[in-house]
Amino acid sequence: MVNKEPVDNREQLQETPDYQEVVAGEEQPIATEEFIPDPERLDTHQHTLEHIHTELQTIQKDYEDLKDKHIRLLAEFENHKRRTVREKLDMMKTASQDILTALLPVLDDFDRAAHNEQLSDGIQLVYQKLYNTLKNKGLEVMHSTGEPFNPELHAAITEIPAPSEDLKGKVVDTIEKGYMLGDKIIRHAKVVVGK
């Protein structure tokens, strides 16, 4: 049978070096002197704290300034991007404006020839093909006769007495058709206005 009496190991524990260090540390008296701050050291610490506080305020101000500049630069970049895209789209829309403007007198000549004489079938086909091609590229004829005079759309060549009351201030006759490319005027209509 095994003896189950509690074993007292205190004597063995007291002989270990770790135990003796702990006991030695407990036996040392704790200093109970009153803490008296050194005024010179307090001034130095106060000065250091003020300096750190000033530095922190400067850094925060610089941070806010840089943040503001960053936001403005981002906004400027986004505006530049939008403007560039818009300009490219406008340029694509009106890329053929010079060529179309140069072909307008040819269309005018076809119109004059058609009003003065009967065009042959071949010439009529060429005219229709040219007109349809230009129309597919975005060219639109401005219809002016009978419309109220608009100086943004029409160039008044002359004014004549209106043949009737309802034509006063309106376009009586169109001397030269106006054309638009998309929503941009590439040639104003030259018109006669009733007064």
Side-chain angles (χ1 to χ4, degrees):
M1 194 159 196
V2 178
N3 186 4
K4 295 210 175 187
E5 289 182 27
V7 179
D8 190 7
N9 294 358
R10 272 188 257 162
E11 289 178 14
Q12 290 175 351
L13 249 164
Q14 289 174 356
E15 293 174 5
T16 61
D18 292 336
Y19 179 79
Q20 290 175 0
E21 281 180 26
V22 170
V23 172
E26 289 176 359
E27 292 176 1
Q28 293 178 358
I30 298 174
T32 57
E33 300 175 6
E34 187 176 320
F35 174 71
I36 301 172
D38 182 10
E40 290 179 10
R41 291 184 76 191
L42 279 178
D43 287 343
T44 304
H45 289 307
Q46 185 67 29
H47 178 71
T48 304
L49 282 174
E50 288 173 1
H51 179 71
I52 290 171
H53 183 68
T54 306
E55 286 282 325
L56 180 62
Q57 287 178 335
T58 304
I59 290 170
Q60 285 176 336
K61 184 181 180 301
D62 290 346
Y63 170 76
E64 291 299 322
D65 290 345
L66 288 173
K67 184 179 174 185
D68 184 55
K69 285 180 184 178
H70 177 70
I71 290 171
R72 289 178 188 274
L73 279 173
L74 279 177
E76 188 177 325
F77 178 70
E78 287 298 319
N79 290 338
H80 173 72
K81 231 169 48 173
R82 282 191 213 109
R83 185 174 51 248
T84 303
V85 168
R86 189 175 342 112
E87 287 172 356
K88 284 182 181 179
L89 288 175
D90 288 346
M91 190 168 44
M92 287 170 52
K93 285 180 185 177
T94 60
S96 57
Q97 179 178 343
D98 292 339
I99 294 171
L100 293 177
T101 304
L103 289 174
L104 293 181
V106 176
L107 286 178
D108 293 338
D109 291 342
F110 271 117
D111 286 338
R112 282 189 213 102
H115 287 298
N116 292 333
E117 58 187 68
Q118 181 67 28
L119 296 178
S120 68
D121 290 341
I123 294 176
Q124 187 67 30
L125 283 173
V126 170
Y127 171 69
Q128 285 301 321
K129 191 171 186 177
L130 175 65
Y131 180 76
N132 289 335
T133 302
L134 296 177
K135 188 174 181 181
N136 288 337
K137 297 296 179 185
L139 186 70
E140 297 176 30
V141 177
M142 281 193 266
H143 300 287
S144 303
T145 304
E147 297 291 320
F149 176 73
N150 182 348
E152 292 182 16
L153 301 175
H154 307 121
I157 301 297
T158 187
E159 284 185 336
I160 61 168
S164 63
E165 284 295 313
D166 61 327
L167 288 177
K168 283 187 178 180
K170 293 187 178 181
V171 175
V172 177
D173 190 21
T174 303
I175 306 298
E176 190 174 78
K177 291 180 184 178
Y179 289 94
M180 297 180 76
L181 182 59
D183 56 352
K184 184 177 179 183
I185 299 171
I186 61 171
R187 187 173 82 181
H188 291 82
K190 294 179 183 173
V191 297
V192 176
V193 181
K195 62 176 179 174

